[in-house]
Amino acid sequence: MNLRSIYLSFIFLFGILQSTAQDTISIANFGLKPNTRENAVPFVNKAMDALKNGQNKVLIFPKGRYDFWPHHCIEKEYFESNTYDINPKRLAFLLEGMTNVTLDGYGSEFIFHDRMQPVTVDNSTNISLKNFSVDWDIPLTAQGEVVSSDNEGFTIRINTHESPYIIENDQLVFVGEGWKSAMHEIMEFQPDTRFVEPYTGDEQALGYGWQNYKAKEIEPGVVKIYREGGFTRHPKVGNLLVLRHSTRDHAGMFLVHSKDIAIEGVRIYHTAGLGVLSQYSENISLKDVKVVPNKAKGRFLSGHDDGFHFMGCKGQITVENCEWTGLMDDPINVHGTCVRITEILAPNKIKCRFMHDMSAGMVWGHAGERVGFIENKSMRTVGYGVIETFEILNKEEFVVELSTPIPEEIKAGAALENLSWTPDVEIRDSKFGSCRARGLLISTPGKVVVENNSFESSGSAILIAGDANYWYESGAVRDVTIRNNTFEYPCMSSMYQFCEAIISILPEIPEPQSEYPFHRNITIENNTFYPFDYPILYAKSVDGLKFMNNTLIRSTAIKPFHKRKAGITLDACKNVTIKDNVTEGEVLGKKVEFLNMKKKEIKLPSREYFEF
Amino acid sequence: MNLRSIYLSFIFLFGILQSTAQDTISIANFGLKPNTRENAVPFVNKAMDALKNGQNKVLIFPKGRYDFWPHHCIEKEYFESNTYDINPKRLAFLLEGMTNVTLDGYGSEFIFHDRMQPVTVDNSTNISLKNFSVDWDIPLTAQGEVVSSDNEGFTIRINTHESPYIIENDQLVFVGEGWKSAMHEIMEFQPDTRFVEPYTGDEQALGYGWQNYKAKEIEPGVVKIYREGGFTRHPKVGNLLVLRHSTRDHAGMFLVHSKDIAIEGVRIYHTAGLGVLSQYSENISLKDVKVVPNKAKGRFLSGHDDGFHFMGCKGQITVENCEWTGLMDDPINVHGTCVRITEILAPNKIKCRFMHDMSAGMVWGHAGERVGFIENKSMRTVGYGVIETFEILNKEEFVVELSTPIPEEIKAGAALENLSWTPDVEIRDSKFGSCRARGLLISTPGKVVVENNSFESSGSAILIAGDANYWYESGAVRDVTIRNNTFEYPCMSSMYQFCEAIISILPEIPEPQSEYPFHRNITIENNTFYPFDYPILYAKSVDGLKFMNNTLIRSTAIKPFHKRKAGITLDACKNVTIKDNVTEGEVLGKKVEFLNMKKKEIKLPSREYFEF
């Protein structure tokens, strides 16, 4: 190396160091030290101002514990999909109007208190969030261990540090930092497998009508739950109960009107609403993000609701090497929000209304965006249009003016879908652990690849729904590939809404028209299923469905229970191929049932395991 | 009753109802319900605005539990006497610029979280605060029970709900809502009597130099405190330790620049600083106000520091039917704050400085107020003056211009006392329970009557100090009567600063001049003492001291320990009368000792129990 190259190397190195020094700032520079239990919020607010003003681009947290209380939180009104309109939201980290910013926790624990939204990314571009965990000292969901059972009821042990409670009017009421909340649901988990106890699910931990129970404190932290004559079902001694209370009032991480967001190396041990909610945002990548219980604290519950929830997003959504366990709702849900047309104001002007109270207040559309008109009885998209103007009337209603007249078939009561905000989705190498409800819910016309994942879902592993009559979570699919996944035996071991099989394709169509299927092009191939029960696939209103090259290995871990006795059930489908599937053991669901369609729509080679 | 009187009665009744309806408003009208754990602060802020705007004059709280968190607290900078300058203070109830307002809790529990000042009355007149209790779920002082002891140390059980802790660097650190705080002092209480363990007091629970202890968690909530070779003294198994941590950063109730304040029916179960601090205020009445541990919660600690603290007040202070137990400092302290003259700027102009860091920032004087010039070596007031102008330079310093030249003897280093802010004081029918340090500290030239009280103080029951060289708590007394009180055996059973006898009159005078005694006219009569030890009265630099008609009944509850072996010690006093005192049992302190004075200054009849 000559002098010149040494000189150049020096200049190069100096450049790197200088750039790092200028770009990166530590939260310590704002006066906050880890492990002090001091409220981090005012320091984070200052750091966010510095990032916003472009003084620095990388904010780091020296590894340690940081605590966040509502005091000093910026408060903002946000309308968050699938979240109740409890406003203002209290914001711990608000990244608003930022570009090219990285937040790196260096493995720090962020501990939250009371009700607040840990991370909010609003109108920002190219944001990287990495290497931290999110947890609560006193979570907004409780748990207890079943220690005994008798013919009146059962007794649970509650960690009163994490779930302080009182008995009020003979019932169990949890009390925390700024809130008091009565238990309203129970979910039951096995301590060793961490699976939802089979055949329980919604209501079935105690049986229907258990809510008139009585609670009695036996000693501090030990509470008997009972009623005269006992309950339909008593949870097993040794099992862990998630004692659900409170409401979904904010997300763990809320990404809105933002673009190019990467989240990596993040553990969300608890959230009070949806774990990561992406709404009207573009290009989102989640890698090594786990929404799981904090095992070190003995917890079986993680988030209060869904894991990753994508509503009205576009561009590319990538989920890689992620995991969800102990959630009180589905790990992933990708959908849009369709609205009801309530009034035809002019040939090209309509009044619309959000039909679900958790949608109200969102900015649904913008000029230039493409919409689909859905006739709500048949769920047929009968025409398309482009938004000319978009005017918000109030939280529930808005007026859309279109560049062309609306289709003739469309009357008040029909639905409108925004087709400009529909993403392509890749979900791979991830573990859908046991949670309340289902595994993956997906409704987008974009290209969807679901591969190399493992499912231990309690209900259906995958649900492809679509409706414009109840939840208004829009989105017929056009191109879905589900390959190389493993569906473990717990899949479909408890009942929840829309769970017709391990993979359940169930659009809600009041009056289906078999010539116009709702969904299109769904391929399920090269997967391994471990069914203990009959129903493997249920598909309604699909044009172009392939189920092939899958391996089915009978599990005898638990006994079958589902009302369906066919392995594959098809309803009003077209162009179905079932072939080259292989089995091991006495797989139960050999039969293919079909209704509301012609047999010729199903290609089923004679050498195939499945048969009519 | 004729029609006219019925009519008049009706009009009268209607008037009452109308007046009540107009004057009284409930916190419920602002949307807050009791027992919800919801943060009461934003609702209280709205109620305070309504009171301030004169819409209502009486604010009531339907009986129940109300919780207060720092979120939404008004924050203000306050310089509070004998409190550290940690600002801004977070204020739960701020009554500012109000007149004729009543706040009635109807027996409600006000539960606070994190560090905040529960009640602040600023620039207000005719305010009544009544019928509520103040407590913390997680107090800012901890406690534990001694469960075992060995030759290395001892083991304590801590209620981890109320005093969550971690072990950090082998020492005990308490963690709470927004703070983390290392243990720095220990006080030891007996479980049955709730007295401070005799012969302990400051440092003596473990002996000097115990701070290099190690802590080890045996099981959750059980911690061993030890060091090689053990400590000088080990606390008794079964005793309760107050594990002191954190600092005095705000008062429980802070009354400042206000007039005619009545507090009644209030329980202060915990505060982080002084319980009720009255500062530069006039006419304060406290009736049935108790600063005591919450026995229902098994607590032995109450406030972090003094109970009632009056600094620079005037008019009448009345304390009736009150109680203090388990405080970590004196139940009552009445004093002014004298300042050091640092520079003679002109014959009638001086620069002054607050000499104690807990005094800084106070508004010390106003034009027209009378001051005394104290020569700091002799503590003689060598002249008087009237403030012409008062100018604040910074938190520590101010300039006073006087209407006349200052006395010739006064040089830089002398002290200045504000004589316009000195109250008359009546303290009666109250119980001075066992607390760290002394019972009543009093330094005011006003008329003082202390009668019908019971004292169980750990150190001196009454201390009349006065100094201008260290604490700068000014105030020579002129007229003090102490009568019909009972001094129980625990009085003077542990050592603390300035504790020379059960009643200790101890001005700090570097170079006393016996011809100019500092205090005047102190009468101690018709009291009952239960001394177990020698020293009953210590008096320094008093002109006109009477100790008469007292009953002394020997207590044998514990053994004597004080270095003083005289019952009465007189130092540089004049006009002393000791007579008509009677005894029961072998009272030890028969001897009267005197120094720096002539024997003829003491009238001691030969039939008197006491003798030279």
Side-chain angles (χ1 to χ4, degrees):
Chain A
M1 194 183 262
N2 60 28
L3 268 180
R4 185 183 147 78
S5 65
I6 289 174
Y7 176 75
L8 285 176
S9 300
F10 180 78
I11 291 293
F12 176 72
L13 188 66
F14 183 76
I16 287 177
L17 288 173
Q18 198 182 40
S19 138
T20 305
Q22 283 180 339
D23 284 357
T24 298
I25 192 158
S26 165
I27 193 71
N29 294 107
F30 298 93
L32 180 63
K33 287 180 191 151
N35 310 320
T36 55
R37 310 268 168 154
E38 197 172 357
N39 187 4
V41 171
F43 303 94
V44 167
N45 287 347
K46 280 184 205 160
M48 291 296 129
D49 285 346
L51 292 177
K52 196 169 180 176
N53 297 335
Q55 295 163 13
N56 309 99
K57 286 299 182 189
V58 180
L59 174 65
I60 66 161
F61 283 73
K63 188 174 180 175
R65 174 188 165 125
Y66 296 89
D67 282 80
F68 298 77
W69 274 268
H71 192 37
H72 298 297
C73 275
I74 291 168
E75 298 194 342
K76 263 192 89 170
E77 195 173 50
Y78 277 119
F79 298 102
E80 303 184 3
S81 181
N82 294 60
T83 303
Y84 285 101
D85 174 16
I86 295 168
N87 268 305
K89 310 296 186 206
R90 301 156 168 184
L91 313 176
F93 287 88
L94 171 60
L95 290 86
E96 190 179 17
M98 294 193 192
T99 309
N100 304 328
V101 159
T102 295
L103 192 155
D104 191 336
Y106 276 78
S108 288
E109 282 181 273
F110 294 160
I111 304 292
F112 296 86
H113 301 267
D114 199 349
R115 313 192 72 84
M116 67 163 82
Q117 185 155 286
V119 178
T120 306
V121 179
D122 183 356
N123 272 293
S124 293
T125 302
N126 197 18
I127 303 296
S128 167
L129 308 170
K130 55 188 189 187
N131 304 327
F132 58 86
S133 66
V134 166
D135 204 356
W136 262 252
D137 267 357
I138 297 181
L140 301 163
T141 309
Q143 70 174 43
E145 184 192 349
V146 183
V147 291
S148 70
S149 178
D150 59 27
N151 51 21
E152 265 195 308
F154 56 99
T155 302
I156 48 181
R157 177 171 288 120
I158 297 168
N159 178 336
T160 54
H161 290 89
E162 300 194 340
S163 299
Y165 66 82
I166 56 174
I167 306 290
E168 197 173 66
N169 301 325
D170 292 331
Q171 294 213 326
L172 195 51
V173 175
F174 293 95
V175 292
E177 299 162 298
W179 50 263
K180 179 171 101 166
S181 183
M183 176 174 78
H184 56 67
E185 303 286 350
I186 288 180
M187 283 294 296
E188 183 176 345
F189 286 80
Q190 297 173 340
D192 46 353
T193 60
R194 292 187 165 252
F195 296 159
V196 172
E197 177 69 32
Y199 325 131
T200 62
D202 284 353
E203 302 283 353
Q204 294 304 313
L206 303 191
Y208 288 95
W210 64 275
Q211 284 85 350
N212 61 347
Y213 76 94
K214 285 183 187 300
K216 180 168 66 181
E217 186 173 69
I218 308 297
E219 59 181 81
V222 178
V223 174
K224 180 164 184 180
I225 306 288
Y226 67 102
R227 71 173 172 191
E228 213 186 297
F231 302 99
T232 314
R233 182 183 171 280
H234 289 188
K236 288 185 183 164
V237 172
N239 273 3
L240 268 292
L241 302 185
V242 174
L243 310 167
R244 301 177 68 197
H245 65 81
S246 87
T247 191
R248 42 171 85 183
D249 58 3
H250 59 264
M253 302 176 85
F254 179 49
L255 320 178
V256 63
H257 301 146
S258 292
K259 192 176 169 183
D260 300 333
I261 311 298
I263 307 179
E264 193 170 352
V266 167
R267 299 290 171 268
I268 300 179
Y269 291 124
H270 184 62
T271 61
L274 307 171
V276 179
L277 167 60
S278 306
Q279 180 170 313
Y280 298 127
S281 290
E282 188 175 350
N283 300 336
I284 296 155
S285 153
L286 294 126
K287 293 181 180 169
D288 188 27
V289 177
K290 301 188 178 183
V291 191
V292 294
N294 195 328
K295 280 191 190 178
K297 295 180 182 173
R299 294 203 185 152
F300 278 72
L301 64 96
S302 63
H304 188 281
D305 302 292
D306 292 0
F308 299 170
H309 198 106
F310 303 88
M311 198 292 299
C313 291
K314 69 180 183 183
Q316 181 69 48
I317 292 174
T318 305
V319 173
E320 253 183 56
N321 193 24
C322 291
E323 185 181 338
W324 310 265
T325 315
L327 283 168
M328 290 301 108
D329 216 337
D330 318 302
I332 297 190
N333 190 343
V334 183
H335 68 95
T337 294
C338 63
V339 292
R340 185 178 182 138
I341 298 170
T342 52
E343 208 178 331
I344 314 291
L345 300 170
N348 68 335
K349 198 170 182 180
I350 50 180
K351 192 198 255 187
C352 301
R353 186 181 184 88
F354 288 115
M355 293 308 291
H356 195 277
D357 59 1
M358 287 192 285
S359 306
M362 299 189 303
V363 184
W364 188 86
H366 307 82
E369 291 174 358
R370 188 159 171 265
V371 296
F373 293 92
I374 301 170
E375 196 288 307
N376 64 303
K377 292 280 188 294
S378 65
M379 292 288 284
R380 262 185 72 205
T381 298
V382 294
Y384 300 94
V386 171
I387 299 175
E388 185 87 19
T389 66
F390 181 85
E391 183 198 351
I392 291 171
L393 296 180
N394 53 52
K395 272 190 200 175
E396 281 80 29
E397 294 177 304
F398 54 84
V399 170
V400 177
E401 199 177 1
L402 298 139
S403 53
T404 49
I406 62 170
E408 260 183 37
E409 299 96 316
I410 293 302
K411 311 289 176 207
L416 195 70
E417 183 179 15
N418 187 333
L419 295 170
S420 288
W421 289 90
T422 53
D424 294 335
V425 179
E426 289 185 14
I427 298 167
R428 58 168 58 90
D429 302 325
S430 294
K431 181 180 170 187
F432 290 75
S434 188
C435 298
R436 176 180 163 272
R438 295 128 315 205
L440 166 63
L441 272 64
I442 197 142
S443 312
T444 173
K447 182 176 170 61
V448 176
V449 176
V450 178
E451 63 181 359
N452 299 330
N453 302 290
S454 155
F455 289 86
E456 293 176 347
S457 311
S458 171
S460 293
I462 298 177
L463 169 64
I464 299 176
D467 90 298
N469 291 283
Y470 178 63
W471 285 97
Y472 281 79
E473 293 187 359
S474 71
V477 303
R478 294 286 174 266
D479 182 359
V480 173
T481 302
I482 298 168
R483 65 185 172 219
N484 298 327
N485 301 287
T486 305
F487 297 89
E488 305 287 347
Y489 85 81
C491 290
M492 203 50 263
S493 57
S494 280
M495 268 310 291
Y496 305 90
Q497 195 178 30
F498 308 129
C499 291
E500 297 295 333
I502 293 172
I503 297 177
S504 187
I505 303 166
L506 185 62
E508 290 284 282
I509 306 170
E511 295 167 10
Q513 296 176 345
S514 57
E515 65 272 37
Y516 301 112
F518 184 71
H519 291 302
R520 280 214 302 270
N521 300 332
I522 300 176
T523 298
I524 302 163
E525 60 182 358
N526 293 317
N527 300 287
T528 304
F529 291 81
Y530 291 88
F532 69 90
D533 203 346
Y534 293 83
I536 294 159
L537 171 64
Y538 177 94
K540 182 174 179 180
S541 202
V542 184
D543 182 357
L545 172 68
K546 295 193 177 80
F547 187 84
M548 56 195 203
N549 287 314
N550 296 294
T551 302
L552 308 163
I553 302 169
R554 169 71 190 272
S555 165
T556 54
I558 58 169
K559 293 205 167 74
F561 82 107
H562 203 282
K563 65 176 184 198
R564 269 187 204 291
K565 300 301 171 199
I568 297 178
T569 304
L570 305 169
D571 183 356
C573 292
K574 288 169 76 174
N575 297 314
V576 178
T577 303
I578 300 170
K579 66 170 188 183
D580 300 338
N581 299 296
V582 298
T583 65
E584 285 177 28
E586 293 289 315
V587 173
L588 295 170
K590 193 171 180 60
K591 193 171 163 54
V592 175
E593 274 189 352
F594 62 96
L595 67 161
N596 302 318
M597 59 186 284
K598 297 199 174 87
K599 193 173 181 178
K600 74 175 172 64
E601 295 291 349
I602 308 167
K603 284 182 198 145
L604 185 65
S606 58
R607 66 179 180 284
E608 166 61 26
Y609 164 73
F610 286 101
E611 62 183 28
F612 289 117
Chain B
M1 193 183 262
N2 60 28
L3 269 177
R4 185 183 147 80
S5 63
I6 288 172
Y7 175 77
L8 285 176
S9 298
F10 179 79
I11 291 295
F12 176 72
L13 189 66
F14 183 77
I16 287 176
L17 289 173
Q18 197 182 41
S19 139
T20 306
Q22 284 180 340
D23 283 0
T24 299
I25 193 161
S26 166
I27 194 71
N29 294 108
F30 297 94
L32 181 62
K33 286 180 192 151
N35 310 319
T36 56
R37 310 268 167 151
E38 195 172 356
N39 187 3
V41 171
F43 302 95
V44 167
N45 287 348
K46 280 183 206 161
M48 291 296 131
D49 285 345
L51 292 177
K52 196 169 180 178
N53 296 335
Q55 295 162 13
N56 309 99
K57 286 299 181 189
V58 180
L59 173 66
I60 66 161
F61 283 73
K63 187 173 180 173
R65 174 187 165 125
Y66 296 88
D67 283 79
F68 298 77
W69 273 268
H71 190 38
H72 298 295
C73 274
I74 292 168
E75 297 194 341
K76 263 192 92 169
E77 196 174 48
Y78 276 118
F79 299 102
E80 303 184 2
S81 180
N82 293 62
T83 303
Y84 285 101
D85 175 15
I86 296 168
N87 267 305
K89 310 297 185 207
R90 301 158 169 183
L91 313 177
F93 287 86
L94 171 59
L95 289 85
E96 190 178 17
M98 292 192 195
T99 309
N100 305 328
V101 159
T102 295
L103 193 155
D104 191 337
Y106 276 77
S108 289
E109 282 181 274
F110 294 161
I111 304 292
F112 297 86
H113 300 268
D114 199 350
R115 311 193 73 84
M116 67 164 82
Q117 185 155 287
V119 178
T120 306
V121 179
D122 182 357
N123 271 294
S124 294
T125 303
N126 196 19
I127 304 294
S128 167
L129 307 169
K130 57 187 188 185
N131 304 325
F132 58 86
S133 66
V134 166
D135 204 355
W136 262 254
D137 266 358
I138 297 181
L140 301 163
T141 310
Q143 70 174 41
E145 184 191 350
V146 183
V147 292
S148 69
S149 178
D150 60 26
N151 50 21
E152 266 195 307
F154 56 97
T155 302
I156 47 179
R157 176 170 290 123
I158 297 168
N159 178 336
T160 54
H161 290 88
E162 299 194 341
S163 299
Y165 66 82
I166 57 176
I167 306 290
E168 197 173 66
N169 301 326
D170 292 331
Q171 293 213 326
L172 194 52
V173 175
F174 292 95
V175 292
E177 300 161 299
W179 50 263
K180 179 170 102 167
S181 185
M183 176 174 76
H184 56 65
E185 302 287 350
I186 289 180
M187 282 295 295
E188 183 176 346
F189 285 81
Q190 297 174 339
D192 46 354
T193 60
R194 290 184 167 255
F195 296 159
V196 172
E197 177 69 33
Y199 325 132
T200 62
D202 285 353
E203 302 282 355
Q204 293 304 313
L206 304 191
Y208 288 95
W210 63 275
Q211 284 86 350
N212 62 348
Y213 76 94
K214 286 184 188 299
K216 180 167 68 177
E217 186 174 71
I218 307 298
E219 59 180 81
V222 178
V223 175
K224 181 165 183 178
I225 305 287
Y226 66 103
R227 70 173 175 194
E228 212 185 297
F231 303 98
T232 315
R233 181 181 172 282
H234 290 188
K236 287 185 184 165
V237 172
N239 272 3
L240 268 292
L241 302 185
V242 174
L243 309 166
R244 299 177 69 196
H245 65 82
S246 89
T247 190
R248 45 171 85 185
D249 58 3
H250 60 262
M253 302 174 85
F254 180 49
L255 320 178
V256 62
H257 302 145
S258 292
K259 191 176 171 184
D260 302 330
I261 311 297
I263 307 179
E264 191 169 353
V266 168
R267 300 291 171 269
I268 300 179
Y269 290 123
H270 183 62
T271 60
L274 307 171
V276 180
L277 167 59
S278 307
Q279 180 170 313
Y280 298 127
S281 290
E282 186 174 352
N283 301 336
I284 297 156
S285 153
L286 294 124
K287 292 181 181 170
D288 188 26
V289 176
K290 301 188 178 182
V291 191
V292 294
N294 194 329
K295 280 190 189 178
K297 296 180 181 172
R299 295 205 185 150
F300 278 72
L301 63 96
S302 62
H304 189 281
D305 302 292
D306 291 359
F308 301 168
H309 199 106
F310 303 88
M311 197 290 298
C313 291
K314 68 179 182 184
Q316 181 68 47
I317 292 174
T318 306
V319 174
E320 252 182 57
N321 192 25
C322 291
E323 185 180 338
W324 311 265
T325 315
L327 284 167
M328 290 302 108
D329 217 336
D330 318 302
I332 298 189
N333 190 344
V334 183
H335 67 96
T337 294
C338 64
V339 292
R340 186 177 180 135
I341 298 169
T342 53
E343 207 178 331
I344 314 290
L345 301 170
N348 67 338
K349 199 172 181 180
I350 50 180
K351 192 199 255 187
C352 302
R353 188 181 182 87
F354 288 115
M355 293 309 291
H356 195 277
D357 58 2
M358 289 193 282
S359 306
M362 298 190 302
V363 183
W364 188 86
H366 308 82
E369 291 174 356
R370 190 160 171 263
V371 296
F373 294 92
I374 302 171
E375 195 289 304
N376 63 304
K377 292 280 187 294
S378 65
M379 291 287 282
R380 261 187 70 205
T381 298
V382 296
Y384 301 94
V386 172
I387 300 175
E388 184 87 17
T389 67
F390 182 85
E391 185 198 351
I392 291 171
L393 295 179
N394 52 52
K395 272 190 202 177
E396 282 79 31
E397 294 177 304
F398 54 84
V399 169
V400 177
E401 200 176 1
L402 298 138
S403 53
T404 50
I406 62 170
E408 259 183 36
E409 301 96 314
I410 292 303
K411 312 286 175 207
L416 195 68
E417 183 178 15
N418 188 332
L419 295 170
S420 288
W421 289 91
T422 53
D424 294 334
V425 179
E426 289 185 14
I427 298 169
R428 60 167 57 92
D429 302 324
S430 294
K431 181 180 171 186
F432 290 74
S434 187
C435 299
R436 175 181 164 272
R438 297 128 313 208
L440 165 64
L441 272 65
I442 197 143
S443 312
T444 174
K447 181 176 173 59
V448 176
V449 177
V450 179
E451 65 181 357
N452 299 328
N453 303 288
S454 156
F455 290 86
E456 293 176 347
S457 311
S458 170
S460 293
I462 298 177
L463 169 63
I464 300 175
D467 90 299
N469 290 283
Y470 178 62
W471 285 99
Y472 281 78
E473 294 187 358
S474 69
V477 302
R478 293 287 172 267
D479 181 0
V480 173
T481 303
I482 298 169
R483 67 184 170 217
N484 299 326
N485 301 286
T486 306
F487 298 90
E488 305 288 347
Y489 84 82
C491 290
M492 202 51 261
S493 57
S494 280
M495 269 310 290
Y496 306 90
Q497 196 178 27
F498 309 128
C499 292
E500 297 294 334
I502 294 172
I503 297 176
S504 187
I505 303 166
L506 184 63
E508 290 285 281
I509 305 169
E511 294 167 10
Q513 297 176 347
S514 58
E515 65 272 35
Y516 301 110
F518 183 71
H519 290 301
R520 280 215 300 270
N521 301 330
I522 299 176
T523 300
I524 302 164
E525 61 183 356
N526 293 315
N527 300 285
T528 304
F529 291 82
Y530 292 88
F532 68 90
D533 202 346
Y534 294 81
I536 295 159
L537 171 65
Y538 178 94
K540 182 173 178 181
S541 203
V542 184
D543 183 356
L545 172 67
K546 295 192 178 79
F547 188 84
M548 58 196 201
N549 288 313
N550 297 293
T551 302
L552 309 163
I553 303 170
R554 170 71 191 275
S555 166
T556 54
I558 58 171
K559 294 204 167 73
F561 80 108
H562 203 283
K563 64 175 183 197
R564 271 187 202 290
K565 301 301 172 199
I568 297 178
T569 305
L570 305 169
D571 183 356
C573 293
K574 289 170 75 174
N575 297 314
V576 179
T577 304
I578 300 169
K579 67 171 188 183
D580 300 336
N581 299 294
V582 297
T583 65
E584 288 178 25
E586 292 288 318
V587 173
L588 295 169
K590 194 172 180 60
K591 191 170 162 56
V592 175
E593 275 189 351
F594 62 98
L595 67 161
N596 303 317
M597 59 190 280
K598 298 200 173 88
K599 193 175 183 178
K600 73 174 171 69
E601 296 289 350
I602 307 167
K603 283 181 198 146
L604 184 65
S606 59
R607 68 181 177 281
E608 168 60 27
Y609 163 74
F610 288 101
E611 61 184 29
F612 290 117

